[in-house]
Amino acid sequence: MSFQAPKGVKEYVPPQAATFYAIRQAFAETARRAGYSYLETAVFEDTQLFARGVGESTDVVSKEMYTFTDRGGRSLTLRPEFTAGVLRAVLEYGLHRGQLPVKVWTGGPVFRAEAPQEGRYRQFYQLDLEAVGSEDPAVDAETIALAWQWYSALGLTQVRLLLNSLGCSECRPLYRTRLQDFLRGLDLDEATRARIEINPLRVLDDRRPEVREQLEDAPLIGDHLCGDCKAYHDRVKQHLADLDIPWQDDPRMVRGLDYYTRTTFEFDHPLLGAQSGIGGGGRYDGLSEAIGGPRLPGIGFGLGLDRTVIALGREGIELATPPRCEVYGVALGEEAARTMFKLLGDLRAAGVAADMSFGGKGLKGAMKGADRSGARFALILGERDLAAQAVQLKDLTTAEQTEVPLAQVVDVLKGKVQ
């Protein structure tokens, strides 16, 4: 075949896809127990939603977005992150007019034009959770706790929670001025100097070693928080302590998006090397106004599924996944195949995962299929069995074989596999 997936696109096929699916299902259950509802949003949006919401000074908007003009002349962009689109949907469908906070989660592919490497892809997968309409430290702590509980439920033991506060509209302007004064005295390229004037916090997010060395003595936002922000941050940490969730203060963490205020956090896994960040998020109290909505505070996160899969592998964790097949049917002859097909339907309706040999294979070839399916039991049905209205039930683990009346097969197998 002359086609293959585009460079930088991460795909999951069996058997690894079963782990990917199990991870997502575990998150769905974690979110459900905390009162979060699922929603599905557009994969592409008006480009201005991200330019105004995420921030034109960010690398995401200025360098990494997949933007195209549609046939109507509209500029559209494949989503590079979830929060702006989720908030747009909350506002568009009036969810904020009901009970607050609006608690929703979603997931799927996101797209950024980056240099592909392990853990960094052009099409990658995230789980996203948002709590919109509340400015309460307990909501911040709950959001962080849900991600922590999900990582713990997967069995990950080396995840670290990094925590910071980015202040608010009251205390950040003074910090911004002092940071700009400091940055203007550094040896930086012209593009970075331009960024100092637009959004100096973006410079703190620069990963280049030659820049990071010069930032060692940069002023810290934590030293410039107003009284309200400091008290807010202390309450978030107290709630986390009440839940026995450990964290590390990271006073230099600013995240890569412009909309963050106050609580910001990252989840880090040291075994992942350069791409050690496996999730993160924060509060975005001004995002609604930035995209044309009313004042509507919120907090949320995005967790990387791809990097979580890698982290599980690095820690040697294999998730238990439901069997693809529990019972495999082997039918010898056309009439037996018809009866087996009906029997498989009855088994599936009863909650038993069942498959069968198709294409009229002989006994040897069909039994190879049974072994490859991973099933524990095989049902063997031939002409003599049909005449006796029975089927041969073979335990593929012990090789023990017994005859079971056709009318009792479903009940017998339900008792063995459930």
Side-chain angles (χ1 to χ4, degrees):
M1 188 183 72
S2 57
F3 296 101
Q4 59 183 8
K7 184 178 181 181
V9 172
K10 181 62 177 175
E11 297 180 305
Y12 293 89
V13 299
Q16 188 185 42
T19 297
F20 181 91
Y21 182 74
I23 289 172
R24 184 184 170 98
Q25 290 303 101
F27 183 83
E29 181 60 18
T30 299
R32 184 195 66 79
R33 289 198 302 263
Y36 285 76
S37 301
Y38 182 76
L39 83 166
E40 188 73 42
T41 62
V43 174
F44 55 88
E45 300 268 8
D46 186 314
T47 300
Q48 283 303 304
L49 175 68
F50 301 118
R52 291 168 58 183
V54 175
E56 295 194 56
S57 69
T58 64
D59 284 348
V60 171
V61 172
S62 64
K63 301 177 182 179
E64 299 170 358
M65 295 202 311
Y66 282 101
T67 298
F68 61 96
T69 301
D70 73 358
R71 294 180 180 180
R74 293 171 290 262
S75 178
L76 301 174
T77 296
L78 296 177
R79 62 187 179 206
E81 59 95 48
F82 273 105
T83 301
V86 170
L87 186 55
R88 187 269 309 153
V90 167
L91 295 170
E92 181 175 347
Y93 295 100
L95 300 183
H96 62 298
R97 299 191 185 101
Q99 182 178 351
L100 297 178
V102 179
K103 301 170 78 172
V104 292
W105 76 276
T106 188
V110 285
F111 307 87
R112 295 186 188 179
E114 299 187 287
Q117 55 184 290
E118 185 183 45
R120 172 173 281 178
Y121 310 113
R122 292 171 176 170
Q123 175 179 305
F124 55 102
Y125 298 88
Q126 282 190 346
L127 292 166
D128 178 88
L129 182 142
E130 311 288 347
V132 180
S134 177
E135 197 168 0
D136 186 331
V139 174
D140 298 30
E142 176 186 84
T143 302
I144 296 169
L146 290 175
W148 183 267
Q149 289 160 7
W150 174 65
Y151 287 128
S152 298
L154 295 177
L156 292 171
T157 62
Q158 298 196 43
V159 176
R160 298 183 301 174
L161 168 60
L162 308 178
L163 194 63
N164 195 20
S165 174
L166 293 183
C168 67
S169 59
E170 295 297 322
C171 54
R172 196 185 293 182
L174 175 59
Y175 173 67
R176 174 191 170 98
T177 299
R178 291 183 177 175
L179 179 61
Q180 286 177 318
D181 291 342
F182 172 82
L183 295 175
R184 288 172 184 140
L186 303 184
D187 180 18
L188 302 171
D189 60 85
E190 288 305 313
T192 306
R193 288 194 169 279
R195 185 170 287 181
I196 294 172
E197 309 307 319
I198 300 171
N199 190 340
L201 267 69
R202 295 280 65 76
V203 181
L204 296 182
D205 199 41
D206 199 308
R207 301 301 178 186
R208 291 174 295 177
E210 64 272 20
V211 175
R212 297 202 69 79
E213 287 178 6
Q214 300 183 68
L215 297 175
E216 287 296 323
D217 296 324
L220 302 176
I221 181 65
D223 296 331
H224 297 78
L225 295 179
C226 63
D228 286 346
C229 283
K230 187 177 186 306
Y232 192 99
H233 195 51
D234 288 343
R235 288 174 63 193
V236 172
K237 292 193 284 188
Q238 184 59 61
H239 285 307
L240 293 175
D242 290 342
L243 296 175
D244 295 323
I245 295 175
W247 73 87
Q248 297 178 24
D249 289 312
D250 188 348
R252 298 186 182 279
M253 180 178 62
V254 298
R255 304 283 296 154
L257 309 177
D258 280 357
Y259 51 61
Y260 286 121
T261 59
R262 285 192 170 174
T263 305
T264 54
F265 56 93
E266 288 187 1
F267 295 100
D268 177 84
H269 197 290
L271 297 185
L272 269 61
Q275 305 303 325
S276 62
I278 60 175
R283 180 160 282 282
Y284 45 85
D285 293 342
L287 179 56
S288 179
E289 294 100 313
I291 63 174
R295 184 181 184 281
L296 199 64
I299 185 169
F301 60 64
L303 307 180
L305 268 74
D306 309 284
R307 294 185 187 178
T308 301
V309 170
I310 297 171
L312 288 169
R314 297 286 166 82
E315 289 199 34
I317 298 170
E318 292 188 13
L319 297 182
T321 58
R324 177 176 64 88
C325 180
E326 296 169 306
V327 178
Y328 192 88
V330 174
L332 306 176
E334 186 174 339
E335 188 62 28
R338 181 180 175 186
T339 300
M340 183 64 72
F341 189 76
K342 170 65 168 61
L343 187 56
L344 255 64
D346 293 340
L347 286 166
R348 291 168 180 168
V352 178
D355 198 358
M356 68 176 285
S357 175
F358 293 98
K361 293 185 178 69
L363 179 61
K364 184 176 180 180
M367 291 305 294
K368 283 185 179 179
D371 290 335
R372 291 169 179 166
S373 74
R376 180 183 169 188
F377 297 100
L379 291 175
I380 305 169
L381 186 63
E383 292 183 3
R384 292 183 180 178
D385 302 305
L386 277 175
Q389 285 295 288
V391 66
Q392 303 301 315
L393 175 62
K394 184 172 183 177
D395 187 320
L396 295 175
T397 303
T398 65
E400 180 183 356
Q401 185 167 312
T402 57
E403 185 174 276
V404 179
L406 280 173
Q408 299 177 21
V409 169
V410 173
D411 288 336
V412 169
L413 283 169
K414 281 178 62 178
K416 289 181 177 293
V417 302
Q418 295 180 353

